[in-house]
Amino acid sequence: MKNPLQLQKNLKSNKFNKHPIIFVPYNNEKLVLKQILKQLADCEDIMILVRNKKDIYKYIDNEFRYANNTLVFKDKNLKCLTVHKSKGLEARYVIILNCNDEILGFPNKIENNILIDKLNPNNEIKYAEERRLFYVAITRCKEQTYLLYKKNNPSIFIKELKRIVKKINF
């Protein structure tokens, strides 16, 4: 709803979850993903989402195998997709990686070509397309979304969402 050019929507859900968003600040990328996956060890319905395909490599080590959008950890197969590929899909738990304030974080800060910006009616809204994509990512879960970000470097989306969640007071 940050985009004044967007149609205003009154969103409602028949589901209620007291803690639908879990903010996960970390110091160690490889350790944090393992910790979450160990907590969710009994669950088979987990999807890991990345903004950029290469993001997953920051979070995995030799305890993981990754190929063809599948991440294997402790003999468990997990869907690992870019947010673009996840559209229309859902999982009980969703883990979104790299929500950091970096060039290739989420939002991605790579500048568009000036011609593309001139053709885009939303170009006055900072990160309009990235914001839409982030919305797609956080709405893929049936139960909870885990947002992973460096402890001292949360993205603008994490900061905004924390303010919203605090206001709603889950």
Side-chain angles (χ1 to χ4, degrees):
M1 304 317 299
K2 290 273 186 186
N3 185 346
L5 301 175
Q6 179 178 317
L7 292 174
Q8 297 295 310
K9 299 175 190 93
N10 186 10
L11 303 176
K12 293 182 181 180
S13 174
N14 59 358
K15 297 179 186 176
F16 178 78
N17 184 337
K18 195 167 184 160
H19 300 287
I21 296 174
I22 309 294
F23 295 98
V24 186
Y26 62 80
N27 289 318
N28 183 319
E29 291 97 337
K30 293 180 181 357
L31 185 59
V32 71
L33 183 58
K34 287 179 196 177
Q35 288 173 332
I36 292 170
L37 293 175
K38 287 174 185 175
Q39 286 176 3
L40 299 174
D42 294 336
C43 181
E44 293 298 320
D45 193 16
I46 300 169
M47 182 170 24
I48 298 171
L49 297 180
V50 294
R51 170 62 185 87
N52 304 293
K53 212 170 192 179
K54 292 181 181 178
D55 287 351
I56 189 63
Y57 295 107
K58 296 178 195 174
Y59 292 82
I60 62 175
D61 60 18
N62 60 4
E63 290 185 60
F64 292 88
R65 284 192 329 276
Y66 175 63
N68 301 322
N69 298 323
T70 301
L71 185 66
V72 180
F73 179 68
K74 299 203 178 279
D75 295 322
K76 182 187 277 190
N77 291 339
L78 306 158
K79 285 183 261 178
C80 182
L81 305 168
T82 64
V83 177
H84 285 97
K85 285 190 176 191
S86 75
K87 195 164 183 177
L89 301 176
E90 287 185 328
R92 184 172 173 201
Y93 296 99
V94 172
I95 303 168
I96 304 173
L97 307 181
N98 202 22
C99 298
N100 299 314
D101 187 14
E102 298 171 347
I103 299 262
L104 294 176
F106 205 164
N108 185 309
K109 295 181 179 182
I110 294 176
E111 298 284 325
N112 285 334
N113 179 300
I114 195 163
L115 289 173
I116 291 172
D117 277 344
K118 293 291 181 195
L119 295 172
N120 183 355
N122 290 328
N123 68 346
E124 295 171 18
I125 312 306
K126 193 162 190 159
Y127 308 122
E129 185 61 20
E130 291 292 306
R131 190 174 296 280
R132 183 196 66 75
L133 198 57
F134 190 69
Y135 177 80
V136 167
I138 64 174
T139 58
R140 299 304 89 208
C141 80
K142 295 177 187 174
E143 197 163 319
Q144 287 181 317
T145 297
Y146 290 78
L147 300 172
L148 279 59
Y149 59 94
K150 289 180 185 172
K151 195 176 227 171
N152 297 319
N153 199 27
S155 77
I156 186 173
F157 294 166
I158 294 296
K159 291 174 185 175
E160 288 177 8
L161 200 51
K162 279 184 160 189
R163 283 193 297 270
I164 292 167
V165 168
K166 191 173 185 179
K167 280 183 189 176
I168 294 173
N169 194 16
F170 288 113

